Amino acid sequence: MDDEVVVRTRADGATELRVNGVFVMDDVETSSERLLADHALDLGARDVLVGGLGLGFTARALLEAEDGRRVERLVVAELHDGVIRAVRGGAGAGPEVLDDPRCTVVVGDVLDVVAAQPAASLDAVLLDVDNGPDFLVHDANAAVYDSTGVRACARALRPGGTLAVWSMADSETLRERLGEVLDDVRAVAVPVDLQGRAEHYWVLTGHAR
């Protein structure tokens, strides 16, 4: 496993993912990761790109959807091969996510993977590569949230398609950048229980013009 990827079992029995020394997520509180998927599914997304595999819960929620909400194609961009190996080895959502024939996992920077998609070919781009634009796992990830990165994601979306960003906190700056190229920009607070503490995570969304 990559030196900067650590998947460990805590004293409370939870599986925890850390990358580059930064806490990314655990398998106890996954409601906001699943909300990313639900937001896209509720809008009828069939071709979806997810930036950041994490422990696989967003991808699993997308692939398990039924009753007319079935995803036909899922591309997952994951920078760290060690994260993929951990999920394939049984961590988090487990290997069934990676084995689904609709799912293609690409090891690489999410912006490179987005740029490789044809224009207007996706119904949704869901980004969960950091703890948000102000809490980066890698400094280089700032490019994901700048105007160029947002425009690259918007280029890949069909009209009405969704760009959604997971974040530890609301970001006025990111909302302004989303508003430059997307309509109906919103920041949704998601109540979460973090090891006994009542907190909020955020999902920032906008729709392609």
Side-chain angles (χ1 to χ4, degrees), residues 34-52:
R34 289 182 280 110
L35 178 65
L36 270 179
D38 285 339
H39 182 75
L41 291 166
D42 288 345
L43 294 172
R46 297 294 181 265
D47 296 294
V48 181
L49 186 147
V50 171

Side-chain angles (χ1 to χ4, degrees), residues 39 170 175 178 183-188 202-207:
H39 182 75
D170 188 13
R175 282 190 279 111
L178 294 174
D183 292 331
D184 193 26
V185 173
R186 301 183 183 186
V188 178
W202 294 78
V203 176
L204 284 68
T205 65
H207 300 118

Side-chain angles (χ1 to χ4, degrees), residues 150-164:
V150 170
R151 288 178 183 276
C153 293
R155 180 202 68 88
L157 291 172
R158 296 176 176 128
T162 300
L163 174 58

